[in-house]
Amino acid sequence: MTTTPIPGRRSPLDGVALPAGLSEIPFLAQIDLRADAADTPLQGRLAVAIGVAPPTVANTTAVTPDGNRRVVWLAPDEWLVIGPAGTEADLEADLRGAFEGAPGAVVDVSANRTMLALRGPAARGVVSSGCSIDLDPRVFGPGSCAQTMLARANVVLICLAAEPDLDVLVLVRPSFARYLAAWIEDALQD
C-alpha cells in the first residue's frame, strides 16, 4: 500500500527522520467492521464489497488480489479493513451497502492509527525485545496478526514475511507514533 500526501493533513511522524528499515505509511483508509461471521449471505456480500472475504480464523489477515485492501481479524465478529488513502468514504459506503438490513456496524476509524513498516534483519529482534508474543516464523508467519503491546504502546502487528527476515506492519495510535518510532530507532542501535 502506498500513500500520497493529503493537502492540509500532517502525518504523526511529519518531519521525523526515520532509521533505515522503518517507514511510515500514513493516512490509510481504516474501517472498523462488526458483523456476524456465521451469516453466510452477509459474509459473501462483504467479500464482494471488500474484494476478499474477512478472515474467520483468529489472528489472521486477508489481502485482495491487487493488494490494495487488507482485512485484519480483531475479534470473532470484528475486522479492520485497510485501504489506500483517500478511499475511506467509498469503502465505508460499500461496506454499509453490503449489510442490506443485517445487524452490524461500519465505522471510519482512519484517523485512529498510523502505520509503520519495519523490515530487515534486525526487525525480529527489535519487535521481540518490546513485546511478549512469539515471533517464531512457525507461529507468526505471513498473514498473521496480533493485538499486543510494543514498548508499552498498544499496537496491531501484521506479518508480511517471516523468513529470512521479519517484515511487519505496525498500526499505532498517532499519539504514540513518535514515541514508538524513537523506541524502535533506539532498539535498532542495540
Side-chain angles (χ1 to χ4, degrees), residues 165-185:
D165 300 324
L166 182 64
D167 184 352
V168 65
L169 299 174
V170 182
L171 288 162
V172 62
R173 295 193 185 279
S175 57
F176 281 92
R178 284 180 184 256
Y179 157 76
L180 190 59
W183 182 88
I184 291 171
E185 181 174 22

